[in-house]
Amino acid sequence: MIALYPGSFDPITYGHLDIIERASLMFDELVVAILNNPQKQPTFDAVQRQQQIELAIAHLTNTRVTHFPGLTVDCARQHKAQVIIRGLRVLSDFEHELQMAHTNKTLAAEIETIFLATSNEYSFLSSSAVREIARLGGPIAHLVPTHVITDLKAIWA
Ligand code: ADP
């Protein structure tokens, strides 16, 4: 079975990577899909984010990355994914995620959304927090891979 893990990944964090590694064990193939979130103006363009993810998942043989300009369900169909993976951190994620899962179900009844609970140590971690800490010169080595630190420093150095 093929699964799609969609998100902004602006940039990829160890929280995302934890979900990717766990999902890659559960499915034959995993496609990480960089999609546009209309509520968010990205810091990194899609090509940069794709490179960041590719480097971070180089050790996973059944996982690849794509970016897609349209609907999540259309991306899933293009990759023949029957499952959409989303991560849940805190209760406040739940309402929005459930609404999206229901909406996607109305658009594509054949595709299921599966939620993976964050690992405890990453429950506080978000790309926006990483960007903010980096912008203010704080330590982020425990939050994102080394090459992402380099990219963040290039913006705010
Ligand atoms: P989006 O804009 O689509 O929410 P994000 O990159 O913020 O994109 O998140 C992509 C997915 O990864 C979402 O399902 C989000 O809940 C999940 N996620 C983000 N950070 C973490 C984390 N620290 N632990 C687990 N899941 C996470």
Side-chain angles (χ1 to χ4, degrees), residues 13 45 47 60 75 104 119 140 154:
T13 69
D45 66 31
V47 174
L60 300 173
C75 184
N104 284 334
S119 296
I140 49 171

Side-chain angles (χ1 to χ4, degrees), residues 40-75:
K40 299 177 182 172
Q41 183 61 39
T43 298
F44 295 105
D45 66 31
V47 174
Q48 276 178 301
R49 283 179 276 163
Q50 177 152 359
Q51 286 168 349
Q52 289 165 346
I53 299 171
E54 274 168 358
L55 276 175
I57 63 161
H59 59 297
L60 300 173
T61 51
N62 67 340
T63 305
R64 59 204 153 86
V65 192
T66 187
H67 54 86
F68 191 77
L71 290 170
T72 303
V73 291
D74 287 338
C75 184

Side-chain angles (χ1 to χ4, degrees), residues 40-115:
K40 299 177 182 172
Q41 183 61 39
T43 298
F44 295 105
D45 66 31
V47 174
Q48 276 178 301
R49 283 179 276 163
Q50 177 152 359
Q51 286 168 349
Q52 289 165 346
I53 299 171
E54 274 168 358
L55 276 175
I57 63 161
H59 59 297
L60 300 173
T61 51
N62 67 340
T63 305
R64 59 204 153 86
V65 192
T66 187
H67 54 86
F68 191 77
L71 290 170
T72 303
V73 291
D74 287 338
C75 184
R77 282 176 172 147
Q78 191 183 76
H79 290 275
K80 302 197 179 345
Q82 291 151 280
V83 168
I84 293 170
I85 300 286
R86 294 286 287 178
L88 286 179
R89 284 162 294 186
V90 286
L91 193 60
S92 53
D93 278 345
F94 185 73
E95 195 175 349
H96 174 66
E97 291 293 341
L98 193 63
Q99 194 180 21
M100 277 206 307
H102 285 148
T103 305
N104 284 334
K105 196 74 182 165
T106 66
L107 298 174
E110 76 282 13
I111 299 173
E112 294 292 346
T113 299
I114 292 182
F115 298 111

Side-chain angles (χ1 to χ4, degrees), residues 13-43:
T13 69
Y14 283 143
H16 293 127
L17 201 54
D18 173 61
I19 297 287
I20 291 170
E21 285 174 346
R22 288 161 56 205
S24 75
L25 296 174
M26 296 168 62
F27 296 93
D28 300 311
E29 279 179 53
L30 180 68
V31 181
V32 181
I34 300 158
L35 299 179
N36 297 323
N37 182 336
Q39 265 109 50
K40 299 177 182 172
Q41 183 61 39
T43 298

